[in-house]
Amino acid sequence: GESVGLHLPTLSVQEGDNSIINCAYSNSASDYFIWYKQESGKGPQFIIDIRSNMDKRQGQRVTVLLNKTVKHLSLQIAATQPGDSAVYFCAENNNAGNMLTFGGGTRLMVKP
Amino acid sequence: GAVVSQHPSRVICKSGTSVKIECRSLDFQATTMFWYRQFPKQSLMLMATSNEGSKATYEQGVEKDKFLINHASLTLSTLTVTSAHPEDSSFYICSARGSGQDSGTQYFGPGTRLTVL
C-alpha cells in the first residue's frame, strides 16, 4: 500500500556540521508534507512544511527539499546543535483524506 | 499560537480500569482532532479522527468500543481507554487542526504515557 518511509534509522553528526535527513514517499496524490521533531517522552513538534507546488522551502536553520519526480523529501539542518538531537518524522497529507501518514522516523544524534 | 495540551501526562492503572485522557486546544478552535498511539521506538499510528459534534472515524483494527472518543466542543476531545489491559500500555498523543489553519497541519499535544499493570 501507499507509505512513507525513511532510508536511515539513525544519523550521527558532529556538532556544527550540517545534517540531512531523507524520506521517500509513494503516494503520488500527496500534496502537502511536514517534518516533525520528537524529543524523548514528548509529542511531535512542527518544524517546517512544504506544498507540492514548491521544491524548496527555508526556515530558521532548516530547509526542506521536495523532489516529486522521485518522490523524495529531505530535511536539512544547518550547523547542527546538541538540542537538535531527537527523532525526526516526515509526514504526508493526502488531501482526499486530510490525514497525515507518518514515516518510520530517523534518530539524529549530535556528537559534541 | 497553536498550543495543544493533554492531561494527564502520565497514568498508571490496574488492569480492568478505564482511563480518560483529555486533549485541549488552548488558543484556537479545533474542528478536527486526531488520536495517535506510539509504541517505543516506533512511529505514530493514527487511531481515530474526530470532528466536533460528530462520531469519530476509527482506523482499521482499532476497536471503537474500547477506545471511546468524544469531541463535544471545539477545544476539547477525550479518549477513554475502557477496561485497560497491559497491552494497552503506550504513549497516546492527540493533535488538533483548526478550520483557519493550513490544510493538513496538525499541532500535537505533549502525549500521555499510559502504563497498565
Side-chain angles (χ1 to χ4, degrees), chain B residues 33 48-58 64 69-72:
Chain B
M33 285 186 169
T49 303
S50 73
N51 292 296
E52 185 265 338
S54 61
K55 290 183 178 180
T57 301
Y58 290 81
K64 63 179 181 180
I69 292 172
N70 184 285
H71 191 168

Side-chain angles (χ1 to χ4, degrees), chain A:
Chain A
E2 303 284 11
S3 66
V4 177
L6 296 175
H7 297 301
L8 299 173
T10 303
L11 177 64
S12 184
V13 299
Q14 203 71 37
E15 181 179 358
D17 287 351
N18 297 334
S19 302
I20 299 176
I21 300 172
N22 297 302
C23 179
Y25 67 95
S26 56
N27 186 351
S28 56
S30 295
D31 60 354
Y32 182 58
F33 304 87
I34 308 174
W35 280 101
Y36 287 95
K37 172 186 178 183
Q38 186 178 28
E39 296 176 274
S40 181
K42 298 183 179 179
Q45 177 187 359
F46 175 92
I47 300 175
I48 193 168
D49 59 359
I50 189 168
R51 296 196 177 278
S52 59
N53 60 353
M54 303 171 67
D55 53 19
K56 180 179 180 179
R57 192 172 187 207
Q58 288 184 293
Q60 187 177 13
R61 276 201 312 119
V62 295
T63 301
V64 56
L65 298 177
L66 175 63
N67 186 330
K68 295 182 287 295
T69 302
V70 294
K71 297 189 182 68
H72 186 266
L73 190 70
S74 69
L75 176 70
Q76 299 179 2
I77 303 174
T80 312
Q81 303 169 0
D84 295 327
S85 294
V87 177
Y88 290 80
F89 293 97
C90 63
E92 61 175 328
N93 181 66
N94 178 340
N95 190 51
N98 251 337
M99 298 188 304
L100 288 178
T101 301
F102 283 82
T106 292
R107 179 173 298 280
L108 176 64
M109 299 175 62
V110 182
K111 296 179 289 185

Side-chain angles (χ1 to χ4, degrees), chain B residues 4-67:
Chain B
V4 178
S5 70
Q6 278 183 244
H7 178 80
S9 58
R10 179 182 290 269
V11 57
I12 301 173
C13 67
K14 293 182 179 180
S15 185
T17 305
S18 293
V19 176
K20 179 185 284 189
I21 303 170
E22 294 184 349
C23 176
R24 294 182 185 272
S25 55
L26 300 184
D27 52 2
F28 67 100
Q29 293 185 324
T31 51
T32 306
M33 285 186 169
F34 305 83
W35 286 96
Y36 294 84
R37 181 166 51 183
Q38 185 179 35
F39 292 106
K41 299 184 179 180
Q42 294 188 21
S43 188
L44 285 75
M45 293 180 59
L46 180 65
M47 298 175 67
T49 303
S50 73
N51 292 296
E52 185 265 338
S54 61
K55 290 183 178 180
T57 301
Y58 290 81
E59 294 300 297
Q60 190 173 11
V62 179
E63 300 175 55
K64 63 179 181 180
D65 294 331
K66 180 164 184 64
F67 299 99

